[in-house]
Amino acid sequence: NYEIMFIVRPTLSEDEIKKVAEQFKKTLELEGGKVTSTDEWGQKTLAYDMKKGSEVYKSGYYFVYELETESDAGIKEFDRLAGISPDVIRSLITRKED
């Protein structure tokens, strides 16, 4: 079981933000994972400014997914895509104890 938190840049439209979140959910499911819970926290002010590329962000849209999976392939692919995506400011993957 895993918990995945990621922050989407606030300069996107509401539809674009939802599309980014849905694409990452599909990535996890295509690799055999089952997203058991999706929690959208909305736009929050960041504790400190975050830089992604040439942009500096003071806020972001937070999403939290809970995931069950037998293989870590989906987790690795999520981590890879989140790292190169210009739309994701930061992500955190946590393995939950049973």
Side-chain angles (χ1 to χ4, degrees):
N1 293 336
Y2 293 88
E3 182 176 89
I4 299 173
M5 188 272 308
F6 60 101
I7 307 169
V8 178
R9 65 186 173 105
T11 54
L12 298 175
S13 71
E14 189 173 327
D15 288 339
E16 290 171 320
I17 290 169
K18 291 189 184 300
K19 185 176 178 183
V20 168
E22 190 60 33
Q23 286 174 337
F24 279 108
K25 183 177 177 183
K26 285 181 184 177
T27 297
L28 292 165
E29 291 173 342
L30 284 173
E31 296 292 339
K34 179 182 177 192
V35 177
T36 58
S37 172
T38 302
D39 195 6
E40 183 179 339
W41 292 359
Q43 187 171 359
K44 304 281 185 194
T45 302
L46 302 171
Y48 53 89
D49 294 352
M50 289 188 195
K51 184 175 182 181
K52 178 81 174 200
S54 62
E55 300 287 325
V56 176
Y57 300 101
K58 297 182 181 297
S59 67
Y61 283 86
Y62 282 70
F63 291 88
V64 178
Y65 291 161
E66 291 191 17
L67 175 76
E68 292 177 354
T69 185
E70 296 294 321
S71 165
D72 64 351
I75 299 294
K76 288 180 179 177
E77 183 64 5
F78 173 91
D79 195 34
R80 184 185 76 79
L81 292 174
I84 61 175
S85 173
D87 297 327
V88 175
I89 301 172
R90 191 69 44 102
S91 65
L92 176 68
I93 301 169
T94 307
R95 185 175 183 148
K96 296 174 69 175
E97 295 297 324
D98 291 334

